[in-house]
Amino acid sequence: MASELYHVKQQFTLGAYKSLVEGTTLPDPSSPEYTSILLYKARASIAIHDTPAALAILPADSDDISVKSVVALAKYEGASSEEDKEAALEQLRDLCIEIESEGEVPEADVVRVIAGTAFYTAGEVEEALETLGAGTTHENLEAVAVTVHIYLSIHRPDLAKKEFDRSKQWAEDDLLLGLIESSIGFVSGKDGYSNCNSYYTEQIANPSLSAPNLLTARGVTRLMRGEISEARSDLEEAQSQQSGDAETAAALVVASGLGPRKADAEEIWSKFTTDYPDHPLVNDISHKASLFDESAQLFDVPPVAAVGA
């Protein structure tokens, strides 16, 4: 029978953050699974932008370096000033120095993942990759997953695939391996997105899991496969499970624009621009509209010729 930690890790891996936070009760502090479950629950709270909830359950005076790293990440994500953000990053840098003397222990692996995530979020891509052990033989599958995400975000799927292929030589976590492979397939479009589509469908079918992120991922995959109505169905279901997610809303804008109901598409776009005025999609469309207007001014439209002239 699978342990509670197994189910919690499964939820976190597949992005079921809300259900993890709301449905997980921390075990007794004497349990060997206590710290791991505590950290997954705190990290899930951070992922849904509820840093106060994360800090509320994390002991501020803990000597555990993995706990310290998640506290620092929560402080970074919740900081309202650049000074506070930098202070949190410096704390993570100090912890990275500290783990060099710890050897290969689970706590050190957590610190690497947390610090690498924070550095990438802060725009320090090279520091993040170095912290995560990119290009090395370091056996930390979660670090590989974050590394792959970073490489895909900077348009280097070739390097992402190298990290994935290297990890297959030692990794045993089929769930996370499958997610990494699906992410690469999602970006590269390999085999018509068949692998990632199958993976998302398989995980969505799990009756014990509620992960709107998976529905969004499959919805976007279906968009790329030209399955517009099916994509829209997935995205609308994802919104019903987790409202307020900007990326799901952005994907629904695209799906509605490709569908036959133009009035509906205009209404969805108007709501999206109101709810997420600074979203990259809004900025991109606004920029292109400005370029079109500027180009249109360069041309003089000749008058319509009079009838019989």
Side-chain angles (χ1 to χ4, degrees):
M1 185 175 181
S3 68
E4 177 67 13
L5 177 58
Y6 172 84
H7 291 297
V8 168
K9 183 179 179 181
Q10 180 188 51
Q11 287 180 300
F12 184 83
T13 298
L14 297 176
Y17 305 124
K18 186 176 181 181
S19 59
L20 193 166
V21 170
E22 296 178 350
T24 301
T25 301
L26 292 175
D28 188 273
S30 63
S31 168
E33 295 186 343
Y34 174 78
T35 299
S36 295
I37 293 177
L38 169 70
L39 294 183
Y40 278 125
K41 185 168 184 175
R43 292 171 65 188
S45 293
I46 296 170
I48 59 175
H49 311 294
D50 190 358
T51 54
L55 291 170
I57 63 173
L58 290 167
D61 57 351
S62 175
D63 292 327
D64 188 308
I65 57 174
S66 60
V67 174
K68 289 181 179 179
S69 69
V70 179
V71 169
L73 178 64
K75 289 181 177 178
Y76 172 79
E77 293 292 346
S80 57
S81 69
E82 290 302 317
E83 291 78 9
D84 289 342
K85 285 183 178 291
E86 188 56 37
L89 293 177
E90 283 302 317
Q91 184 178 0
L92 287 169
R93 292 185 179 106
D94 290 341
L95 290 173
C96 287
I97 294 173
E98 185 177 338
I99 63 175
E100 294 304 319
S101 61
E102 296 288 336
E104 300 304 317
V105 296
E107 292 82 3
D109 283 346
V110 173
V111 172
R112 290 188 182 95
V113 170
I114 296 301
T117 300
F119 297 152
Y120 170 69
T121 304
E124 302 293 342
V125 174
E126 291 186 8
E127 185 177 16
L129 292 172
E130 181 179 355
T131 301
L132 293 163
T136 70
T137 57
H138 183 66
E139 297 183 4
N140 181 350
L141 191 56
E142 194 174 357
V144 171
V146 180
T147 300
V148 166
H149 174 81
I150 293 174
Y151 279 140
L152 293 177
S153 73
I154 61 174
H155 312 295
R156 291 304 304 269
D158 55 322
L159 296 180
K161 188 174 185 306
K162 284 184 179 179
E163 289 289 331
F164 171 65
D165 290 341
R166 189 182 297 114
S167 69
K168 288 192 295 184
Q169 300 174 15
W170 49 263
E172 299 178 355
D173 188 336
D174 292 338
L175 184 67
L176 188 49
L177 269 179
L179 182 62
I180 295 170
E181 184 177 22
S182 296
S183 298
I184 296 172
F186 184 89
V187 171
S188 66
K190 182 181 178 182
D191 299 325
Y193 303 94
S194 59
N195 180 69
C196 54
N197 186 65
S198 297
Y199 179 82
Y200 299 141
T201 298
E202 178 184 356
Q203 301 308 323
I204 289 169
N206 186 339
S208 64
L209 185 72
S210 176
N213 290 358
L214 287 173
L215 281 166
T216 298
R218 189 176 69 173
V220 176
T221 301
R222 285 176 158 177
L223 275 178
M224 302 304 292
R225 289 161 62 90
E227 301 167 359
I228 308 304
S229 61
E230 294 86 348
R232 181 159 182 169
S233 176
D234 276 348
L235 296 168
E236 289 175 343
E237 176 63 23
Q239 276 200 327
S240 71
Q241 292 185 18
Q242 180 175 283
S243 60
D245 183 76
E247 299 314 309
T248 301
L252 187 57
V253 166
V254 176
S256 64
L258 295 172
R261 295 176 290 178
K262 298 305 178 184
D264 189 26
E266 291 177 4
E267 180 181 345
I268 291 174
W269 169 250
S270 177
K271 184 177 187 307
F272 181 72
T273 57
T274 300
D275 293 343
Y276 309 101
D278 297 322
H279 191 277
L281 179 61
V282 176
N283 292 334
D284 183 56
I285 297 298
S286 298
H287 178 63
K288 287 181 170 59
S290 296
L291 290 177
F292 179 85
D293 292 340
E294 290 174 7
S295 298
Q297 293 176 4
L298 301 176
F299 297 90
D300 293 324
V301 179
V304 178
V307 177

